[in-house]
Coordinates of all heavy atoms in Angstrom, one line a residue:
G1 N 2.6 14.9 -93.0 CA 2.9 15.6 -91.9 C 4.3 15.5 -91.4 O 5.1 14.7 -91.9
C2 N 4.6 16.2 -90.4 CA 5.9 16.3 -89.8 C 6.0 15.1 -88.8 O 5.1 14.9 -88.0 CB 6.0 17.6 -89.1 SG 7.6 17.9 -88.3
L3 N 7.1 14.4 -88.9 CA 7.3 13.2 -88.0 C 7.3 13.5 -86.5 O 7.0 12.7 -85.7 CB 8.5 12.5 -88.4 CG 8.5 11.8 -89.8 CD1 9.8 11.2 -90.1 CD2 7.3 10.9 -89.9
N4 N 7.8 14.7 -86.1 CA 8.0 15.0 -84.7 C 7.0 16.1 -84.3 O 7.2 16.7 -83.2 CB 9.4 15.4 -84.4 CG 9.8 16.7 -85.0 OD1 9.2 17.2 -86.0 ND2 10.8 17.4 -84.3
A5 N 5.9 16.3 -85.0 CA 5.0 17.3 -84.7 C 4.1 16.8 -83.5 O 3.7 15.7 -83.4 CB 4.1 17.7 -85.9
V6 N 3.8 17.7 -82.6 CA 2.9 17.4 -81.5 C 1.5 17.5 -82.1 O 1.2 18.3 -83.0 CB 3.0 18.5 -80.4 CG1 1.9 18.4 -79.4 CG2 4.4 18.4 -79.8
P7 N 0.5 16.6 -81.8 CA -0.8 16.6 -82.3 C -1.4 18.0 -82.1 O -1.3 18.6 -81.1 CB -1.6 15.6 -81.5 CG -0.5 14.6 -81.0 CD 0.7 15.5 -80.8
T8 N -2.1 18.5 -83.2 CA -2.7 19.8 -83.2 C -3.5 20.1 -82.0 O -3.4 21.2 -81.4 CB -3.5 20.0 -84.5 OG1 -2.6 19.8 -85.6 CG2 -4.1 21.4 -84.5
D9 N -4.3 19.2 -81.6 CA -5.2 19.4 -80.4 C -4.5 19.6 -79.1 O -5.0 20.0 -78.1 CB -6.3 18.4 -80.3 CG -5.8 17.0 -80.2 OD1 -4.6 16.7 -80.5 OD2 -6.6 16.1 -79.9
A10 N -3.2 19.2 -79.1 CA -2.4 19.2 -77.8 C -1.5 20.4 -77.7 O -0.9 20.7 -76.7 CB -1.6 18.0 -77.7
I11 N -1.3 21.2 -78.8 CA -0.4 22.3 -78.9 C -0.7 23.4 -77.8 O 0.2 23.7 -77.0 CB -0.2 22.9 -80.3 CG1 0.4 21.8 -81.2 CG2 0.5 24.2 -80.3 CD1 0.4 22.2 -82.7
V12 N -1.9 23.9 -77.8 CA -2.2 25.0 -76.9 C -2.2 24.5 -75.5 O -1.6 25.2 -74.6 CB -3.6 25.5 -77.2 CG1 -4.0 26.6 -76.2 CG2 -3.6 26.2 -78.6
E13 N -2.6 23.3 -75.2 CA -2.6 22.7 -73.8 C -1.1 22.5 -73.4 O -0.8 22.9 -72.3 CB -3.3 21.4 -73.8 CG -3.3 20.7 -72.4 CD -4.1 19.4 -72.4 OE1 -5.0 19.2 -73.2 OE2 -3.6 18.5 -71.7
T14 N -0.3 22.0 -74.3 CA 1.1 21.8 -74.0 C 1.8 23.1 -73.7 O 2.5 23.3 -72.7 CB 1.8 21.1 -75.2 OG1 1.2 19.8 -75.4 CG2 3.3 20.9 -74.9
L15 N 1.5 24.1 -74.5 CA 2.1 25.5 -74.3 C 1.6 26.1 -73.0 O 2.4 26.7 -72.3 CB 1.8 26.4 -75.5 CG 2.4 27.8 -75.4 CD1 3.9 27.8 -75.2 CD2 2.0 28.6 -76.6
D16 N 0.3 26.0 -72.8 CA -0.2 26.6 -71.6 C 0.4 26.0 -70.3 O 0.8 26.7 -69.4 CB -1.7 26.4 -71.5 CG -2.4 27.2 -70.5 OD1 -1.9 28.2 -70.0 OD2 -3.6 26.8 -70.1
R17 N 0.6 24.7 -70.3 CA 1.3 24.0 -69.2 C 2.7 24.5 -69.0 O 3.2 24.7 -67.9 CB 1.2 22.5 -69.3 CG -0.1 21.8 -68.8 CD 0.1 20.3 -68.6 NE 0.8 19.7 -69.7 CZ 0.3 19.1 -70.8 NH1 -1.0 19.1 -70.9 NH2 1.1 18.5 -71.7
A18 N 3.4 24.6 -70.1 CA 4.8 25.0 -70.1 C 4.9 26.4 -69.6 O 5.8 26.7 -68.8 CB 5.5 24.8 -71.5
L19 N 4.1 27.3 -70.1 CA 4.1 28.7 -69.7 C 3.8 28.8 -68.2 O 4.4 29.6 -67.5 CB 3.2 29.6 -70.5 CG 3.5 29.8 -71.9 CD1 2.4 30.5 -72.7 CD2 4.9 30.5 -72.1
S20 N 2.8 28.1 -67.7 CA 2.4 28.1 -66.3 C 3.5 27.6 -65.4 O 3.8 28.2 -64.4 CB 1.2 27.2 -66.1 OG 0.1 27.8 -66.7
A21 N 4.2 26.6 -65.8 CA 5.3 26.0 -65.0 C 6.6 26.7 -65.1 O 7.4 26.8 -64.1 CB 5.5 24.5 -65.4
Q22 N 6.9 27.3 -66.3 CA 8.3 27.8 -66.5 C 8.4 29.3 -66.8 O 9.5 29.8 -66.9 CB 8.9 27.0 -67.6 CG 9.0 25.5 -67.4 CD 9.5 24.8 -68.5 OE1 10.6 25.1 -69.1 NE2 8.8 23.7 -69.0
F23 N 7.3 30.0 -67.0 CA 7.4 31.4 -67.5 C 6.6 32.2 -66.5 O 5.5 32.8 -66.9 CB 6.9 31.5 -68.9 CG 7.3 32.8 -69.6 CD1 8.6 32.9 -70.0 CD2 6.4 33.7 -69.9 CE1 9.0 34.1 -70.6 CE2 6.8 34.9 -70.6 CZ 8.1 35.1 -71.0
A24 N 7.0 32.3 -65.3 CA 6.2 33.0 -64.2 C 6.3 34.5 -64.3 O 7.3 35.1 -64.7 CB 6.8 32.5 -62.9
G25 N 5.2 35.1 -63.9 CA 5.2 36.6 -63.8 C 4.9 37.4 -65.0 O 4.9 38.6 -65.0
H26 N 4.6 36.8 -66.1 CA 4.4 37.5 -67.4 C 3.0 37.1 -67.8 O 2.8 36.6 -68.9 CB 5.4 37.1 -68.4 CG 6.8 37.4 -68.1 ND1 7.3 38.7 -68.2 CD2 7.8 36.6 -67.6 CE1 8.6 38.7 -67.8 NE2 8.9 37.5 -67.4
H27 N 2.0 37.5 -67.1 CA 0.6 37.0 -67.3 C 0.0 37.6 -68.6 O -0.6 36.9 -69.4 CB -0.3 37.4 -66.2 CG 0.2 36.9 -64.8 ND1 0.2 35.5 -64.6 CD2 0.7 37.5 -63.8 CE1 0.7 35.3 -63.4 NE2 1.0 36.5 -62.9
R28 N 0.3 38.9 -68.9 CA -0.2 39.4 -70.2 C 0.5 38.8 -71.4 O -0.2 38.6 -72.4 CB 0.0 41.0 -70.2 CG -1.0 41.6 -69.2 CD -1.0 43.1 -69.4 NE 0.4 43.7 -69.5 CZ 0.7 44.9 -69.5 NH1 -0.3 45.8 -69.3 NH2 1.9 45.3 -69.7
V29 N 1.8 38.6 -71.3 CA 2.5 38.0 -72.4 C 2.0 36.6 -72.6 O 1.7 36.2 -73.7 CB 4.0 37.9 -72.1 CG1 4.7 37.1 -73.1 CG2 4.6 39.3 -72.0
R30 N 1.8 35.8 -71.5 CA 1.2 34.5 -71.6 C -0.1 34.5 -72.3 O -0.4 33.7 -73.3 CB 1.1 33.9 -70.2 CG 0.6 32.5 -70.2 CD 0.6 31.9 -68.8 NE -0.1 30.7 -68.7 CZ -1.2 30.5 -67.9 NH1 -1.5 31.4 -67.0 NH2 -1.8 29.4 -67.9
A31 N -1.0 35.4 -71.9 CA -2.4 35.4 -72.5 C -2.3 35.8 -74.0 O -3.0 35.2 -74.8 CB -3.2 36.4 -71.8
R32 N -1.4 36.7 -74.4 CA -1.3 37.1 -75.8 C -0.7 36.0 -76.6 O -1.2 35.7 -77.7 CB -0.5 38.3 -75.9 CG -1.2 39.6 -75.4 CD -0.4 40.8 -75.8 NE -1.1 41.4 -76.9 CZ -0.9 42.6 -77.3 NH1 -0.1 43.4 -76.6 NH2 -1.5 43.1 -78.3
V33 N 0.3 35.3 -76.1 CA 0.9 34.2 -76.9 C -0.1 33.1 -77.1 O -0.2 32.6 -78.2 CB 2.2 33.7 -76.2 CG1 2.7 32.4 -76.8 CG2 3.3 34.8 -76.3
L34 N -0.8 32.7 -76.1 CA -1.8 31.7 -76.2 C -2.9 32.1 -77.2 O -3.3 31.3 -78.0 CB -2.4 31.3 -74.9 CG -1.5 30.6 -73.9 CD1 -2.1 30.5 -72.5 CD2 -1.2 29.2 -74.4
A35 N -3.3 33.4 -77.2 CA -4.3 33.8 -78.2 C -3.7 33.7 -79.6 O -4.4 33.3 -80.5 CB -4.7 35.3 -77.9
Y36 N -2.5 34.1 -79.8 CA -1.9 34.0 -81.2 C -1.8 32.6 -81.6 O -2.1 32.3 -82.8 CB -0.5 34.6 -81.2 CG -0.4 36.1 -81.1 CD1 0.5 36.8 -80.2 CD2 -1.3 36.9 -81.8 CE1 0.5 38.2 -80.1 CE2 -1.3 38.3 -81.7 CZ -0.4 38.9 -80.9 OH -0.3 40.3 -80.8
V37 N -1.4 31.7 -80.7 CA -1.3 30.3 -81.1 C -2.7 29.7 -81.4 O -2.8 28.9 -82.3 CB -0.5 29.5 -79.9 CG1 -0.6 28.0 -80.2 CG2 0.9 29.9 -79.9
R38 N -3.7 30.0 -80.6 CA -5.0 29.6 -80.8 C -5.5 30.1 -82.2 O -6.1 29.3 -83.0 CB -6.0 30.1 -79.8 CG -5.9 29.3 -78.5 CD -7.0 29.7 -77.5 NE -6.8 29.0 -76.3 CZ -6.3 29.6 -75.2 NH1 -5.9 30.9 -75.2 NH2 -6.1 29.0 -74.1
R39 N -5.2 31.3 -82.5 CA -5.6 31.9 -83.8 C -4.9 31.1 -85.0 O -5.5 30.8 -86.0 CB -5.3 33.4 -83.9 CG -5.8 34.0 -85.1 CD -5.5 35.5 -85.2 NE -5.7 36.1 -83.9 CZ -5.0 37.3 -83.5 NH1 -4.2 37.9 -84.3 NH2 -5.2 37.8 -82.3
Q40 N -3.6 30.8 -84.8 CA -2.9 30.1 -85.8 C -3.4 28.7 -85.9 O -3.5 28.2 -87.0 CB -1.4 30.1 -85.4 CG -0.5 29.8 -86.6 CD 0.1 28.4 -86.4 OE1 0.0 27.7 -85.4 NE2 0.8 28.0 -87.5
M41 N -3.7 28.0 -84.8 CA -4.3 26.7 -84.9 C -5.7 26.7 -85.6 O -5.9 25.8 -86.4 CB -4.6 26.1 -83.5 CG -3.3 25.8 -82.7 SD -2.5 24.4 -83.4 CE -1.2 25.2 -84.4
W42 N -6.5 27.7 -85.4 CA -7.8 27.8 -86.1 C -7.6 28.0 -87.6 O -8.2 27.3 -88.4 CB -8.6 29.0 -85.5 CG -9.9 29.2 -86.2 CD1 -11.0 28.5 -85.9 CD2 -10.2 30.0 -87.3 NE1 -12.0 28.9 -86.8 CE2 -11.5 29.9 -87.6 CE3 -9.4 31.0 -88.0 CZ2 -12.1 30.6 -88.7 CZ3 -10.0 31.6 -89.1 CH2 -11.3 31.4 -89.4
A43 N -6.6 28.8 -87.9 CA -6.3 29.0 -89.4 C -5.8 27.7 -90.0 O -6.3 27.4 -91.1 CB -5.2 30.1 -89.5
R44 N -5.0 27.0 -89.3 CA -4.5 25.7 -89.9 C -5.6 24.7 -90.0 O -5.7 24.0 -91.0 CB -3.4 25.1 -89.0 CG -2.0 25.8 -89.2 CD -1.0 25.3 -88.3 NE -0.9 23.8 -88.2 CZ 0.0 23.2 -87.4 NH1 0.7 23.8 -86.6 NH2 0.0 21.9 -87.5
Q45 N -6.5 24.6 -89.0 CA -7.6 23.7 -89.1 C -8.6 24.1 -90.2 O -9.3 23.3 -90.7 CB -8.3 23.6 -87.7 CG -7.4 22.9 -86.7 CD -7.9 22.9 -85.3 OE1 -8.8 23.7 -85.0 NE2 -7.3 22.2 -84.4
S46 N -8.6 25.4 -90.5 CA -9.5 25.9 -91.6 C -8.9 25.7 -93.0 O -9.5 26.1 -94.0 CB -9.8 27.3 -91.4 OG -10.4 27.5 -90.1
G47 N -7.7 25.1 -93.0 CA -7.1 24.9 -94.3 C -6.2 26.0 -94.8 O -5.6 25.9 -95.9
T48 N -6.0 27.0 -94.0 CA -5.1 28.1 -94.4 C -3.7 27.8 -93.9 O -3.5 27.4 -92.8 CB -5.6 29.4 -93.7 OG1 -6.9 29.7 -94.0 CG2 -4.7 30.6 -94.1
K49 N -2.7 28.0 -94.8 CA -1.3 27.8 -94.4 C -1.0 29.0 -93.6 O -1.1 30.2 -94.0 CB -0.4 27.7 -95.6 CG -0.6 26.4 -96.4 CD 0.5 26.3 -97.4 CE 0.4 24.9 -98.0 NZ 1.5 24.6 -98.9
S50 N -0.5 28.8 -92.4 CA -0.3 29.9 -91.5 C 0.9 29.6 -90.6 O 0.9 28.7 -89.7 CB -1.6 30.0 -90.6 OG -1.4 31.0 -89.6
A51 N 2.0 30.3 -90.9 CA 3.2 30.2 -90.0 C 3.0 31.1 -88.8 O 2.4 32.2 -88.9 CB 4.4 30.6 -90.8
L52 N 3.5 30.7 -87.7 CA 3.5 31.6 -86.5 C 4.7 32.4 -86.5 O 5.8 31.9 -86.5 CB 3.4 30.7 -85.2 CG 3.4 31.5 -83.9 CD1 2.1 32.2 -83.8 CD2 3.5 30.5 -82.8
R53 N 4.5 33.7 -86.5 CA 5.7 34.7 -86.5 C 5.4 35.7 -85.4 O 4.4 36.3 -85.4 CB 5.8 35.4 -87.8 CG 6.2 34.4 -88.9 CD 6.3 35.1 -90.2 NE 6.5 34.1 -91.3 CZ 7.5 34.2 -92.1 NH1 8.4 35.1 -92.1 NH2 7.6 33.2 -93.0
L54 N 6.3 35.7 -84.5 CA 6.2 36.7 -83.3 C 7.4 37.5 -83.3 O 8.6 37.1 -83.5 CB 6.1 35.9 -82.0 CG 4.9 35.0 -81.9 CD1 5.0 34.2 -80.6 CD2 3.6 35.7 -82.0
H55 N 7.3 38.8 -83.0 CA 8.4 39.7 -82.8 C 8.3 40.2 -81.3 O 7.3 40.8 -80.9 CB 8.2 40.9 -83.7 CG 9.3 41.9 -83.6 ND1 10.2 42.1 -84.6 CD2 9.6 42.8 -82.6 CE1 11.1 43.1 -84.2 NE2 10.7 43.5 -83.0
M56 N 9.3 39.8 -80.6 CA 9.3 40.1 -79.1 C 10.4 41.1 -78.9 O 11.6 41.0 -79.3 CB 9.5 38.9 -78.3 CG 8.4 37.9 -78.5 SD 8.7 36.3 -77.7 CE 9.4 35.4 -79.0
T57 N 10.1 42.2 -78.1 CA 11.1 43.2 -77.7 C 11.2 43.3 -76.2 O 10.2 43.0 -75.5 CB 10.8 44.5 -78.4 OG1 9.6 45.0 -77.9 CG2 10.8 44.5 -79.9
G58 N 12.3 43.7 -75.7 CA 12.4 44.0 -74.3 C 13.9 43.9 -73.9 O 14.7 43.5 -74.7
P59 N 14.2 44.3 -72.7 CA 15.6 44.3 -72.3 C 16.2 42.9 -72.2 O 15.5 41.9 -72.1 CB 15.6 45.0 -70.9 CG 14.2 45.2 -70.6 CD 13.3 44.8 -71.7
S60 N 17.5 42.8 -72.2 CA 18.2 41.5 -72.1 C 17.8 40.9 -70.8 O 17.6 41.5 -69.8 CB 19.7 41.7 -72.1 OG 20.1 42.2 -73.3
G61 N 17.6 39.6 -70.9 CA 17.3 38.8 -69.6 C 15.9 38.7 -69.2 O 15.6 38.1 -68.2
V62 N 14.9 39.1 -70.0 CA 13.5 39.0 -69.6 C 12.8 37.8 -70.1 O 11.7 37.5 -69.7 CB 12.7 40.3 -70.0 CG1 13.2 41.5 -69.4 CG2 12.6 40.4 -71.5
G63 N 13.5 37.0 -70.9 CA 13.0 35.7 -71.3 C 12.5 35.6 -72.8 O 11.7 34.6 -73.1
K64 N 12.9 36.5 -73.6 CA 12.4 36.4 -75.0 C 12.8 35.1 -75.7 O 12.0 34.4 -76.3 CB 12.9 37.6 -75.8 CG 12.4 38.9 -75.3 CD 13.0 40.1 -76.1 CE 14.5 40.2 -76.0 NZ 15.1 40.5 -74.7
S65 N 14.1 34.8 -75.6 CA 14.5 33.5 -76.3 C 14.0 32.3 -75.6 O 13.6 31.3 -76.2 CB 16.1 33.5 -76.3 OG 16.6 34.5 -77.1
F66 N 13.9 32.4 -74.3 CA 13.3 31.2 -73.5 C 11.8 31.0 -73.9 O 11.4 29.9 -74.2 CB 13.4 31.5 -72.0 CG 12.9 30.4 -71.2 CD1 13.5 29.2 -71.2 CD2 11.7 30.5 -70.4 CE1 13.1 28.1 -70.4 CE2 11.3 29.5 -69.6 CZ 11.9 28.3 -69.6
L67 N 11.1 32.1 -74.1 CA 9.7 32.0 -74.5 C 9.6 31.4 -75.9 O 8.8 30.6 -76.2 CB 9.0 33.4 -74.5 CG 7.6 33.5 -75.0 CD1 6.7 32.6 -74.2 CD2 7.1 34.9 -75.0
A68 N 10.5 31.8 -76.8 CA 10.5 31.3 -78.2 C 10.8 29.8 -78.1 O 10.1 29.0 -78.9 CB 11.6 32.0 -79.0
K69 N 11.7 29.3 -77.3 CA 11.9 27.9 -77.1 C 10.7 27.2 -76.6 O 10.4 26.1 -77.1 CB 13.1 27.7 -76.2 CG 13.5 26.2 -76.2 CD 14.8 26.0 -75.4 CE 15.1 24.5 -75.3 NZ 16.3 24.2 -74.6
L70 N 10.0 27.7 -75.6 CA 8.8 27.1 -75.1 C 7.7 27.0 -76.2 O 7.1 25.9 -76.3 CB 8.2 27.9 -73.9 CG 9.0 27.9 -72.6 CD1 8.4 28.8 -71.6 CD2 9.2 26.4 -72.1
I71 N 7.6 28.0 -77.0 CA 6.6 27.9 -78.1 C 7.0 26.9 -79.1 O 6.1 26.0 -79.4 CB 6.5 29.3 -78.8 CG1 5.9 30.4 -77.8 CG2 5.6 29.2 -80.0 CD1 6.0 31.8 -78.3
S72 N 8.2 26.8 -79.4 CA 8.7 25.9 -80.4 C 8.5 24.4 -79.9 O 8.0 23.6 -80.7 CB 10.1 26.1 -80.7 OG 10.6 25.2 -81.7
T73 N 8.8 24.2 -78.7 CA 8.7 22.8 -78.2 C 7.2 22.4 -77.9 O 7.0 21.2 -77.8 CB 9.5 22.6 -76.9 OG1 9.1 23.6 -75.9 CG2 11.0 22.7 -77.1
S74 N 6.3 23.4 -77.9 CA 4.9 23.0 -77.8 C 4.4 22.5 -79.2 O 3.4 21.8 -79.2 CB 4.1 24.2 -77.4 OG 3.9 25.2 -78.3
Y75 N 5.1 22.9 -80.3 CA 4.7 22.4 -81.6 C 5.4 21.2 -82.0 O 4.9 20.3 -82.7 CB 5.0 23.5 -82.7 CG 4.0 24.6 -82.8 CD1 3.9 25.6 -81.8 CD2 3.1 24.6 -83.8 CE1 3.0 26.6 -82.0 CE2 2.2 25.6 -84.0 CZ 2.1 26.6 -83.0 OH 1.2 27.6 -83.2
F76 N 6.7 21.1 -81.6 CA 7.5 20.0 -82.1 C 8.4 19.4 -81.0 O 8.9 20.1 -80.2 CB 8.5 20.5 -83.2 CG 7.9 21.1 -84.4 CD1 7.7 22.4 -84.5 CD2 7.4 20.2 -85.4 CE1 7.1 23.0 -85.6 CE2 6.8 20.8 -86.5 CZ 6.7 22.2 -86.6
E77 N 8.4 18.1 -80.9 CA 9.4 17.4 -80.0 C 10.8 17.7 -80.5 O 11.0 17.7 -81.7 CB 9.1 15.9 -79.9 CG 7.7 15.7 -79.4 CD 7.3 14.2 -79.5 OE1 8.1 13.4 -80.0 OE2 6.1 13.9 -79.2
E78 N 11.7 17.8 -79.7 CA 13.1 18.1 -80.1 C 13.2 19.2 -81.1 O 13.8 19.1 -82.1 CB 13.7 16.8 -80.6 CG 13.8 15.7 -79.7 CD 14.3 14.4 -80.3 OE1 14.8 14.4 -81.4 OE2 14.1 13.3 -79.7
S79 N 12.5 20.3 -80.8 CA 12.2 21.4 -81.8 C 13.5 22.0 -82.3 O 13.6 22.2 -83.5 CB 11.4 22.5 -81.2 OG 12.0 23.0 -80.1
A80 N 14.5 22.3 -81.5 CA 15.7 23.0 -82.0 C 16.4 22.2 -83.0 O 16.9 22.7 -84.0 CB 16.6 23.4 -80.8
A81 N 16.4 20.9 -82.8 CA 17.1 20.0 -83.8 C 16.4 19.9 -85.1 O 17.0 19.7 -86.1 CB 17.3 18.6 -83.2
Y82 N 15.1 20.0 -85.1 CA 14.3 19.7 -86.4 C 13.8 21.0 -87.0 O 14.0 21.2 -88.2 CB 13.2 18.8 -86.1 CG 12.4 18.4 -87.4 CD1 13.0 17.5 -88.2 CD2 11.3 19.1 -87.7 CE1 12.3 17.2 -89.4 CE2 10.6 18.8 -88.9 CZ 11.2 17.8 -89.7 OH 10.5 17.5 -90.9
T83 N 13.2 21.9 -86.3 CA 12.5 23.0 -86.9 C 13.5 24.1 -87.3 O 13.1 25.0 -88.1 CB 11.4 23.6 -86.0 OG1 12.1 24.2 -84.9 CG2 10.4 22.6 -85.6
G84 N 14.7 24.0 -86.8 CA 15.6 25.1 -87.1 C 15.1 26.4 -86.4 O 15.1 27.5 -86.9
L85 N 14.6 26.2 -85.2 CA 14.2 27.4 -84.4 C 15.1 28.5 -84.6 O 16.3 28.4 -84.3 CB 14.1 27.0 -82.9 CG 13.8 28.2 -81.9 CD1 12.5 28.8 -82.2 CD2 14.0 27.7 -80.5
R86 N 14.6 29.6 -85.1 CA 15.5 30.8 -85.3 C 15.1 31.9 -84.3 O 14.0 32.5 -84.5 CB 15.4 31.3 -86.7 CG 16.2 32.5 -87.0 CD 16.3 33.0 -88.4 NE 15.2 32.6 -89.2 CZ 15.2 32.5 -90.5 NH1 16.3 32.8 -91.1 NH2 14.2 32.2 -91.2
A87 N 15.8 32.1 -83.3 CA 15.6 33.2 -82.4 C 16.8 34.1 -82.6 O 17.9 33.7 -82.2 CB 15.5 32.6 -81.0
T88 N 16.6 35.2 -83.2 CA 17.7 36.1 -83.5 C 17.9 37.2 -82.4 O 16.9 37.5 -81.7 CB 17.5 36.8 -84.8 OG1 16.3 37.6 -84.7 CG2 17.4 35.9 -86.0
G89 N 19.0 37.7 -82.2 CA 19.3 38.8 -81.3 C 19.3 38.3 -79.9 O 18.9 39.1 -79.0
A90 N 19.8 37.2 -79.6 CA 19.8 36.7 -78.2 C 20.5 37.6 -77.2 O 20.2 37.7 -76.1 CB 20.4 35.3 -78.1
A91 N 21.5 38.4 -77.7 CA 22.3 39.3 -76.9 C 21.8 40.7 -77.0 O 22.4 41.6 -76.4 CB 23.8 39.2 -77.2
T92 N 20.7 40.9 -77.7 CA 20.1 42.2 -77.9 C 18.8 42.3 -77.3 O 18.4 41.4 -76.6 CB 20.1 42.6 -79.4 OG1 19.1 41.8 -80.0 CG2 21.4 42.4 -80.1
S93 N 18.0 43.4 -77.7 CA 16.7 43.5 -77.1 C 15.6 43.0 -78.0 O 14.4 43.3 -77.7 CB 16.5 45.0 -76.8 OG 16.5 45.7 -78.0
V94 N 15.9 42.3 -79.0 CA 14.9 41.8 -80.0 C 15.0 40.3 -80.2 O 16.1 39.8 -80.4 CB 14.9 42.5 -81.3 CG1 13.9 42.0 -82.3 CG2 14.7 44.0 -81.1
T95 N 14.0 39.6 -80.2 CA 13.9 38.2 -80.5 C 12.8 38.0 -81.6 O 11.7 38.5 -81.4 CB 13.7 37.2 -79.3 OG1 14.8 37.4 -78.4 CG2 13.6 35.8 -79.8
V96 N 13.1 37.4 -82.7 CA 12.1 37.1 -83.7 C 12.0 35.6 -83.8 O 13.0 34.9 -84.0 CB 12.5 37.7 -85.1 CG1 11.5 37.3 -86.1 CG2 12.7 39.2 -85.0
L97 N 10.8 35.1 -83.7 CA 10.5 33.6 -83.8 C 9.8 33.4 -85.1 O 8.8 34.0 -85.3 CB 9.7 33.2 -82.6 CG 9.1 31.7 -82.7 CD1 10.3 30.7 -82.7 CD2 8.2 31.4 -81.6
A98 N 10.4 32.7 -86.0 CA 9.8 32.3 -87.3 C 9.8 30.8 -87.3 O 10.8 30.1 -87.2 CB 10.6 32.9 -88.4
M99 N 8.6 30.3 -87.4 CA 8.4 28.8 -87.2 C 7.3 28.4 -88.2 O 6.3 29.0 -88.3 CB 8.1 28.5 -85.8 CG 8.0 27.0 -85.5 SD 7.8 26.8 -83.7 CE 6.2 27.5 -83.5
A100 N 7.5 27.2 -88.8 CA 6.4 26.7 -89.6 C 6.3 25.2 -89.3 O 7.1 24.6 -88.6 CB 6.8 26.8 -91.1
A101 N 5.3 24.6 -89.8 CA 5.1 23.1 -89.5 C 6.0 22.3 -90.4 O 5.6 21.8 -91.4 CB 3.6 22.8 -89.8
G102 N 7.2 22.2 -90.0 CA 8.2 21.4 -90.8 C 9.5 22.1 -90.7 O 9.7 22.9 -89.8
P103 N 10.4 21.8 -91.6 CA 11.7 22.5 -91.5 C 11.5 24.0 -91.6 O 10.6 24.5 -92.2 CB 12.5 21.9 -92.7 CG 11.8 20.6 -93.0 CD 10.4 20.8 -92.6
L104 N 12.4 24.8 -91.1 CA 12.3 26.2 -91.0 C 12.0 26.9 -92.3 O 12.7 26.6 -93.3 CB 13.6 26.8 -90.4 CG 13.6 28.3 -90.2 CD1 12.6 28.7 -89.2 CD2 15.0 28.8 -89.8
A105 N 11.0 27.6 -92.3 CA 10.6 28.4 -93.5 C 11.5 29.7 -93.5 O 11.9 30.2 -92.5 CB 9.1 28.9 -93.5
Q106 N 11.8 30.2 -94.7 CA 12.6 31.4 -94.8 C 11.7 32.6 -94.3 O 10.6 32.8 -94.7 CB 13.0 31.6 -96.2 CG 14.0 30.6 -96.7 CD 15.2 30.5 -95.9 OE1 15.8 31.5 -95.6 NE2 15.7 29.3 -95.6
A107 N 12.3 33.3 -93.3 CA 11.5 34.5 -92.8 C 12.0 35.8 -93.4 O 13.0 35.9 -93.9 CB 11.8 34.5 -91.3

């Protein structure tokens, strides 16, 4: 396993707390992200290799890159340093989060 991975059973809870505390006003986004993470956790626990890939669009300044960072840190401690969190288009209207359980997978 990954040395800095958050225990699987704590990922959704950690993300839910982070979204509640730091990502206010985006209730539908929060619900969808948590549903995707739960689905990915179920796939991993079922033995399926499953990377979490999200494509987020919206105007500049709505929190796409911030959301990607919250998701990443719910999976890994010190996520940006280890997972190679790739959030592209920070100055544009698109952020793509490609993350796997370990060093960054090629997206």
Side-chain angles (χ1 to χ4, degrees):
C2 180
L3 294 179
N4 68 336
V6 171
T8 301
D9 57 347
I11 291 172
V12 174
E13 181 182 325
T14 300
L15 179 58
D16 191 21
R17 276 196 318 265
L19 291 173
S20 294
Q22 301 177 51
F23 200 69
H26 299 282
H27 305 292
R28 290 189 317 189
V29 171
R30 179 175 168 237
R32 287 188 104 161
V33 166
L34 288 170
Y36 289 135
V37 170
R38 282 187 187 102
R39 187 178 320 155
Q40 196 251 354
M41 288 291 97
W42 179 83
R44 281 178 50 184
Q45 290 171 348
S46 300
T48 304
K49 288 189 175 188
S50 177
L52 178 66
R53 294 175 188 239
L54 301 174
H55 180 108
M56 298 174 266
T57 60
S60 296
V62 297
K64 297 177 300 294
S65 295
F66 183 68
L67 177 58
K69 184 175 180 177
L70 290 177
I71 294 167
S72 178
T73 55
S74 71
Y75 279 78
F76 301 97
E77 298 170 3
E78 301 174 14
S79 63
Y82 184 78
T83 65
L85 169 65
R86 180 176 19 205
T88 60
T92 67
S93 62
V94 176
T95 296
V96 176
L97 172 64
M99 185 176 61
L104 181 66
Q106 295 298 316

